Amino acid sequence: MNYDVTVIGGGPAGLAAAIAANKENASVLLVEREARLGGILKQCIHDGFGLVTFGEKLTGPEYCERYIDELLQTDVSVKLLTFVTRIEKNADGFAIHFVNREGAAHVQTRAIVLATGCRERTAKQVFIHGTRPSGVFTAGTAQYYVNLMGELPVKRCVILGSGDIGLIMARRLTMEGAEVIGVYEAKPEPSGLPRNLYQCLDDFGIPLHLSHTVTRVFGDERLTAVEIAQVDKNMRPIANTEKIIECDGLILSVGLIPENELAESIDVAIDRRTKGPICDQKYMTMEKGVFCAGNALHVNDLVDYVTLSAVEAGRNSAYLTNKPRALVHVVAEEGILYTVPSVLDVNEPVSDVTLYFRASRELRNAMLTLRVDGRAVFQKKYSVLRPPEMERLKLNFAQYGITTDSEVSLSLKEVE
Amino acid sequence: MKELVCIVCPNGCKIIIDDNGDILNAKCNRGIVFATEEATSPKRTVCSTVATTFSDFPVLPVRSSAEINKIDIPACMNALNNVLLDRRVGRGEIIIKDVLGSGVDIISTSSMQYTYCDVETPDDGSKDNA
């Protein structure tokens, strides 16, 4: 089979990209490895999704099913329980190899949209000493047990990390009758949104301990206790602050990493900071014909932004041309952790670019400055910026006369 | 003085209610409404699940159709724990009408038809995964 666009991943990014490409009359295939569309939103049963796109406070399932409803009205081909094993570049684009219940097969496609989402950091990636008992879960796994399987995986637990999923699970486990002893965060600042600290922890009297971490786990078959210690500025445990807490569960909410095994397999250049592919304003990666959207590109705080980026990626994937690109980097300078896109293709329109960025640290009264060849061409003041909160900025780069020789940079500085 | 965080949108404004009852730092009107309510009778949307008899869809996600009093959350959870759903429902269908006499319904937030979209699923719920 031949398709104009193959979308890999059936979560919010994949759904929006497939619908958008279909609207541009592209023939589209959507490949999803699970039995149901919707991605992680299936298990995100709490509300707060869709305020930007729908102006409503929806739950995860409600949000994704609106897109599933729409997708099923189109002639997009959907392959469920289908796992992409390999992508092969060829003269006409790409061959996508996959396996499913019918066996192994492949399709030919002109463009790809990578919408593979992100994965949680696991216990192995945070270096906790001790035994390997059961009872140590990532927050997403605990969420899967509770919200999709209807099982309570812990009775009395500790949560390590103050990411939003961890906070959401602190509330969820408490509501279902488990005891959440506390949330421990190694950093001096919480990483979740303030509203989640308020409605998930404060509402239920769950304490948040900043500058604390789990240093050891105990238990043979099942977790019996964890050791908690205070940490210093460099996040190293401080001697003699250790405390043993008896529990049968340790929930980890210690960060998300874009999932890009497929991208790397075809040598798509990855941004060190976002851990997702480097892309231009059309969401095309450095590999011609390969687009990327959603959490595979960079971890978003709002699904609404995932959808918006995927609509762009999907639409652009339908109009793949052989036109050469003229790329200019947007250099992230002082105060900026990263920007997405980080590259502009000046052979394509740059008059309406949505730039997402994160501050590298908490900043108050910060001035954002866009410089072209050293000259400040755009400035905006922010009263407060925090790394966990992504900012969105619409910019018209066309007015700055940018060419491939231009030096474009973005910086943030605190001002009086 | 009372400090609270607005939960209406992701901005999460840190709102202050001073000793005169004045509401400060809310960036929008919805925040003022939230703070007023939060100071008198705090309300929350309850999102949870109810058990079903279907092995391919063991729990159905539900939420309250509007906010309920915060103090009623445990009683509401109790009511949800007593539900065993034996029919396949669509998104938005009422699961418990007028929960705890609050005037608020508990509604389904997922369509059970989306189970295994292209796979045949047992309809009677009597079959077990075993």
Side-chain angles (χ1 to χ4, degrees), chain A residues 35-250:
Chain A
R36 281 167 69 195
L37 293 169
I40 202 68
L41 288 181
K42 294 192 296 294
Q43 67 185 59
C44 299
I45 63 161
H46 54 282
D47 70 349
F49 302 95
L51 275 159
V52 180
T53 34
F54 296 114
E56 281 180 71
K57 212 152 95 171
L58 301 171
T59 62
E62 288 171 301
Y63 185 94
C64 71
E65 287 183 17
R66 285 193 179 192
Y67 290 92
I68 299 172
D69 289 345
E70 193 181 341
L71 183 88
L72 296 183
Q73 298 299 313
T74 69
D75 55 7
V76 170
S77 307
V78 179
K79 284 190 188 295
L80 296 175
L81 290 169
T82 300
F83 188 86
V84 174
T85 50
R86 191 158 54 91
I87 300 174
E88 209 177 81
K89 282 183 256 184
N90 57 34
D92 307 314
F94 305 90
I96 312 269
H97 294 261
F98 56 82
V99 288
N100 58 22
R101 285 160 298 167
E102 281 133 42
H106 71 274
V107 294
Q108 179 65 34
T109 189
R110 289 184 62 231
I112 298 172
V113 180
L114 296 168
T116 44
C118 59
R119 295 238 183 117
E120 294 177 284
R121 249 189 214 114
T122 62
K124 283 193 180 133
Q125 288 159 301
V126 290
F127 306 108
I128 299 169
H129 295 286
T131 50
R132 291 286 178 267
S134 72
V136 182
F137 305 96
T138 62
T141 303
Q143 192 177 46
Y144 181 91
Y145 274 114
V146 178
N147 294 348
L148 289 180
M149 294 176 69
E151 310 277 355
L152 194 59
V154 297
K155 289 193 184 74
R156 184 180 145 86
C157 71
V158 158
I159 297 180
L160 176 62
S162 58
D164 285 308
I165 322 167
L167 303 178
I168 298 279
M169 281 317 292
R171 170 175 67 183
R172 185 77 187 111
L173 290 164
T174 307
M175 281 171 73
E176 288 294 349
E179 185 191 350
V180 178
I181 301 157
V183 175
Y184 296 83
E185 169 61 60
K187 289 189 235 106
E189 296 281 338
S191 42
L193 293 171
R195 65 199 279 264
N196 285 333
L197 295 167
Y198 186 75
Q199 63 181 345
C200 298
L201 300 188
D202 298 359
D203 268 11
F204 296 92
I206 302 166
L208 170 66
H209 305 272
L210 297 171
S211 300
H212 278 77
T213 193
V214 172
T215 43
R216 192 173 283 275
V217 296
F218 303 94
D220 296 324
E221 295 273 295
R222 179 76 191 195
L223 185 72
T224 54
V226 297
E227 181 190 73
I228 304 281
Q230 219 174 309
V231 296
D232 64 17
K233 277 203 302 270
N234 303 316
M235 295 209 263
R236 276 190 300 254
I238 301 171
N240 305 319
T241 61
E242 300 90 353
K243 219 167 70 182
I244 305 287
I245 295 173
E246 278 179 35
C247 58
D248 71 347
L250 170 62

Side-chain angles (χ1 to χ4, degrees), chain A residues 333-337 357-361 363 385 411-413:
Chain A
E333 289 191 336
E334 187 191 342
I336 303 276
L337 188 62
F357 72 89
R358 280 183 204 278
S360 55
R361 59 193 169 87
L363 294 165
L385 287 170
S411 66
L412 272 169
K413 243 185 203 148

Side-chain angles (χ1 to χ4, degrees), chain B residues 46-109:
Chain B
V46 173
C47 298
S48 188
T49 54
V50 293
T52 81
T53 56
F54 304 102
S55 59
D56 62 325
F57 213 118
V59 284
L60 172 75
V62 296
R63 68 169 165 92
S64 53
S65 58
E67 294 180 319
I68 65 163
N69 286 325
K70 202 164 106 176
I71 49 164
D72 291 335
I73 293 177
C76 182
M77 285 302 292
N78 228 353
L80 293 177
N81 286 340
N82 288 327
V83 174
L84 182 62
L85 198 68
D86 59 2
R87 64 195 166 92
R88 287 190 183 263
V89 299
R91 189 166 78 248
E93 271 190 55
I94 295 175
I95 305 300
I96 304 177
K97 192 147 184 60
D98 188 19
V99 67
L100 311 170
S102 61
V104 171
D105 301 328
I106 297 295
I107 59 167
S108 159
T109 58

Side-chain angles (χ1 to χ4, degrees), chain A residues 333-366:
Chain A
E333 289 191 336
E334 187 191 342
I336 303 276
L337 188 62
Y338 68 74
T339 69
V340 171
S342 58
V343 168
L344 298 174
D345 177 5
V346 291
N347 277 354
E348 293 287 339
V350 288
S351 54
D352 184 22
V353 175
T354 304
L355 199 73
Y356 294 91
F357 72 89
R358 280 183 204 278
S360 55
R361 59 193 169 87
E362 185 166 327
L363 294 165
R364 289 181 183 275
N365 294 322

